[in-house]
């Protein structure tokens, strides 16, 4: 079995996965959303302190599995420097205490493997990753052959939902609340401009849209307008992704396409991407809703592949790093 730890942002999670059967034997996540909600976003130092409390509590529950552990895996990059180090330090301690190899997992690869929890992998794959930290398209041939073909130049898709919710005083995380609010709104009411629509670049940008939404919120006489603003924002934020993917599909036809990351839980986005894929007869892969947002099961699933390839690191070379090369 492999024990895997995730602490890259505001979720403390540990999983135990069976190497042979890929079965998830244990998974527990303690989310910090309530603690960060009052600030309208994640406060890194508070997150680190909460990980230091939560991770040892979860680890206690894993004790019965200790004798069967063959490796310990941990998210090492990308993420918040002060929170990554909490998981990495714990993983190193377990590696020393149980004398088992250490595996450093890239969080973004973790999101890709959230598609394959308790399943066999299916490559090649074109992946749209939409999370709080990232908005990017990747061509994935294998665990070690991943090309990023488009990414955001500024804010991410999920982050723009968080910021719109913050401007409306709706707390954190913004994705689920904005999606809920948008359900009863008019998507055509506010004519926000689709970002980069005149640009030939295949890249994403959300800072301009965020500012346009800010102006609309400031102009709104009362909160009854918020549902239309939310609906129009969600519509344009999604139309931007669809427009750029359409452009990309002219160069590279999609065969199997996947959406991963916390914001892949958005049902409007899922429906629009389904429509986009129809003329291409491409298959759409999605993670189970419970594995879209950060979790340790996806880290464990990558770790199985890395264990089989003996991709271990020693205590000195495994460092937590806020930036990834992907
Ligand atoms: O993958 P994740 O849990 O953490 C990162 O790796 O960043 O993603 C969290 C992000 C947050 O920005 C959150 O607002 C967004 O995903 N999100 C959503 C939805 N659910 C979560 N965004 C849009 N619609 C949703 N339903
Ligand atoms: Zn994530």
């Amino acid at each position: 079995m492999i024990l895997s730890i995730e602490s890259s942002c505001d979720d403390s999670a540990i999983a135990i996965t069976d190497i042979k059967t890929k079965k998830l034997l244990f998974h527990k996540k303690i989310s910090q959303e309530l603690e960060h909600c009052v600030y309208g976003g994640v406060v890194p130092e508070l997150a680190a302190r909460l990980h230091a409390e939560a991770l040892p509590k979860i680890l206690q529950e894993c004790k019965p599995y200790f004798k069967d552990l063959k490796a310990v895996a941990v998210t090492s990059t990308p993420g918040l420097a002060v929170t990554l180090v909490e998981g990495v330090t714990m993983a190193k301690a377990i590696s020393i205490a149980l004398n088992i190899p250490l595996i450093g997992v890239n969080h973004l690869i973790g999101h890709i493997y959230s598609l394959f929890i308790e399943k066999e992998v299916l490559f090649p794959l074109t992946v749209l990753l939409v999370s709080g930290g990232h908005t990017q398209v990747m061509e994935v041939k294998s665990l070690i052959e991943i090309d990023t073909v488009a990414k955001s130049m500024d804010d991410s898709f999920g982050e723009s939902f968080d910021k719109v919710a913050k401007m409306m005083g709706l707390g954190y995380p913004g994705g689920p609340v904005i999606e809920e609010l948008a359900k009863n709104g008019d998507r055509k009411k506010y004519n926000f401009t689709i970002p980069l629509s005149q640009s030939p670049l295949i890249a994403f940008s959300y800072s301009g849209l965020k500012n346009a939404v800010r102006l609309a919120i400031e102009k709104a006489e009362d909160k009854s307008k918020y549902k239309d603003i939310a609906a129009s924002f969600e519509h344009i934020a999604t139309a931007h992704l669809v427009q750029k993917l359409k452009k990309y599909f002219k160069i590279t036809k999609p065969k199997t396409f996947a959406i991963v990351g916390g914001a892949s839980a958005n049902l409007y986005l899922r429906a629009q991407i389904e429509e986009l894929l129809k003329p291409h007869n491409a298959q759409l892969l999605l993670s189970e809703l419970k594995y879209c947002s950060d979790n340790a099961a996806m880290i464990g699933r990558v770790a199985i592949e890395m264990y089989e390839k003996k991709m271990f690191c020693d205590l000195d070379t495994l460092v937590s790093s806020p930036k990834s090369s992907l």
Side-chain angles (χ1 to χ4, degrees):
M1 296 171 196
I2 293 182
L3 182 145
S4 54
I5 306 170
E6 159 63 35
S7 72
S8 66
C9 190
D10 61 339
D11 293 297
S12 317
I14 301 183
I16 307 275
T17 315
D18 188 291
I19 298 169
K20 266 207 192 106
T21 63
K22 298 173 178 65
K23 220 172 152 35
L24 185 62
L25 304 170
F26 172 92
H27 183 234
K28 186 157 184 180
K29 165 162 131 173
I30 298 181
S31 214
Q32 308 172 356
E33 285 171 0
L34 283 180
E35 286 86 348
H36 296 291
C37 189
V38 282
Y39 304 104
V42 177
V43 181
E45 281 70 22
L46 172 61
R49 191 167 59 69
L50 294 168
H51 284 305
E53 281 170 26
L55 288 173
K57 272 192 207 149
I58 308 176
L59 192 65
Q60 277 295 329
E61 296 183 40
C62 301
K63 273 199 170 156
Y65 299 101
F66 277 15
K67 61 181 185 336
D68 298 311
L69 293 182
K70 293 280 178 276
V72 54
V74 62
T75 302
S76 56
T77 185
L80 299 170
V82 290
T83 65
L84 283 167
V85 77
E86 294 295 332
V88 167
T89 309
M90 175 176 266
K92 286 182 177 179
I94 295 170
S95 166
I96 296 169
L98 301 181
N99 196 23
I100 52 174
L102 185 60
I103 300 173
V105 177
N106 182 299
H107 182 78
L108 308 186
I109 301 180
H111 275 301
I112 298 171
Y113 278 78
S114 68
L115 297 162
F116 309 125
I117 291 168
E118 302 197 325
K119 288 184 197 147
E120 292 301 325
V121 295
L122 181 70
F123 293 136
L125 203 57
T126 307
V127 178
L128 170 66
L129 166 67
V130 273
S131 68
H134 295 82
T135 300
Q136 61 191 55
V137 181
M138 291 170 283
E139 288 295 346
V140 186
K141 291 203 192 91
S142 71
L143 174 66
I144 50 169
E145 296 165 289
I146 303 176
D147 281 335
T148 303
V149 292
K151 58 171 146 185
S152 177
M153 306 191 301
D154 42 60
D155 293 356
S156 74
F157 180 80
E159 187 182 6
S160 68
F161 279 70
D162 295 334
K163 290 188 172 158
V164 168
K166 188 178 181 183
M167 291 187 275
M168 290 181 176
L170 298 174
Y172 170 87
V177 265
I178 294 295
E179 180 174 18
E180 194 52 39
L181 192 62
K183 277 184 192 156
N184 303 313
D186 178 352
R187 300 196 184 278
K188 299 278 157 66
K189 192 87 181 181
Y190 288 81
N191 199 10
F192 300 126
T193 310
I194 300 179
L196 302 177
S197 65
Q198 303 303 318
S199 162
L201 279 180
I202 302 181
F204 308 105
S205 168
Y206 282 98
S207 64
L209 175 60
K210 175 186 71 187
N211 281 325
V213 173
R214 183 198 307 279
L215 293 177
I217 293 171
E218 281 168 10
K219 262 200 205 148
E221 307 89 59
D222 58 73
K223 291 189 176 178
S224 66
K225 303 274 185 297
Y226 283 8
K227 62 181 190 310
D228 293 334
I229 298 177
S232 305
F233 156 72
E234 185 180 53
H235 172 61
I236 297 300
T238 307
H240 175 37
L241 290 176
V242 169
Q243 198 175 64
K244 290 299 176 187
L245 284 171
K246 212 177 239 174
K247 223 173 213 145
Y248 178 62
F249 291 165
K250 283 190 182 147
I251 311 164
T252 312
K253 292 260 168 281
K255 289 195 185 76
T256 311
F257 189 84
I259 327 173
V260 299
S264 69
N266 186 290
L267 297 182
Y268 184 68
L269 169 67
R270 288 180 170 208
Q272 297 301 305
I273 299 281
E274 256 170 39
E275 276 305 304
L276 171 71
L277 293 173
K278 264 187 196 159
H280 296 283
N281 270 331
Q283 185 190 357
L284 177 61
L285 297 188
L286 296 159
S287 316
E288 276 183 61
L289 278 178
K290 62 182 171 197
Y291 300 129
C292 288
S293 59
D294 292 349
N295 63 82
M298 66 187 196
I299 304 303
R301 185 63 188 86
V302 180
I304 294 177
E305 305 291 314
M306 293 180 76
Y307 179 84
E308 279 161 358
K309 293 183 168 57
K310 294 200 167 38
M311 293 168 75
F312 306 137
C313 39
D314 56 48
L315 292 170
D316 299 330
T317 51
L318 184 70
V319 285
S320 43
S321 153
K323 289 239 174 331
S324 138
S325 56
L326 274 185

